[in-house]
Amino acid sequence: PPAGETASEPTPQPPRLPEDGIVAEFSPAQVKLSEQTLLLLARLAETRTPDERLEITGYCNRKDAPVDARDIALMRATAARNELVRLGVPAKSIRVKFNTMQALHAVKVVAK
């Protein structure tokens, strides 16, 4: 290890959520969550406080959506929600929304 560091120091924890809240980005037709997204969601589930509410927004830009943008946006948000519920986050503390107006193919999570 570099001078001044010991090998036993814990590695810093990855951030709970990216600064902009975007936990997943997709190609226009994609709805499956990536490994990196699954890791972020696991980290979020681990670190959330019991009274924290999560707002998940699925984005699909309707200009280049292969099918109904709303469906894709909701599928993306729901995939993230289902993963969080699987990880033990109570479903009632999660709100799912969609946005088809922005030029984004993503899922954004905001903790409130």
Side-chain angles (χ1 to χ4, degrees):
E5 280 183 40
T6 59
S8 65
E9 272 181 39
T11 52
Q13 284 293 321
R16 225 168 73 103
L17 278 172
E19 218 144 281
D20 58 6
I22 302 285
V23 296
E25 292 191 59
F26 302 93
S27 64
Q30 182 192 8
V31 292
K32 192 176 179 306
L33 302 175
S34 69
E35 279 304 307
Q36 193 188 356
T37 299
L38 294 174
L39 290 171
L40 269 171
L41 293 174
R43 173 103 182 101
L44 179 60
E46 237 173 72
T47 56
R48 72 177 280 282
T49 57
D51 59 346
E52 198 167 49
R53 304 188 64 72
L54 301 175
E55 191 174 86
I56 301 175
T57 307
Y59 290 89
C60 181
N61 183 3
R62 61 177 186 208
K63 287 191 177 70
D64 52 14
V67 292
D68 186 17
R70 182 177 170 270
D71 288 352
I72 296 178
L74 279 171
M75 275 157 61
R76 290 172 176 167
T78 303
R81 175 195 171 276
N82 292 348
E83 180 62 16
L84 286 166
V85 170
R86 194 184 70 76
L87 294 164
V89 177
K92 65 178 180 2
S93 67
I94 303 173
R95 186 161 163 236
V96 170
K97 298 171 21 176
F98 69 93
N99 180 322
T100 60
M101 307 300 277
Q102 276 180 272
L104 265 182
H105 290 282
V107 168
K108 180 175 180 171
V109 179
V110 179
K112 305 198 163 218

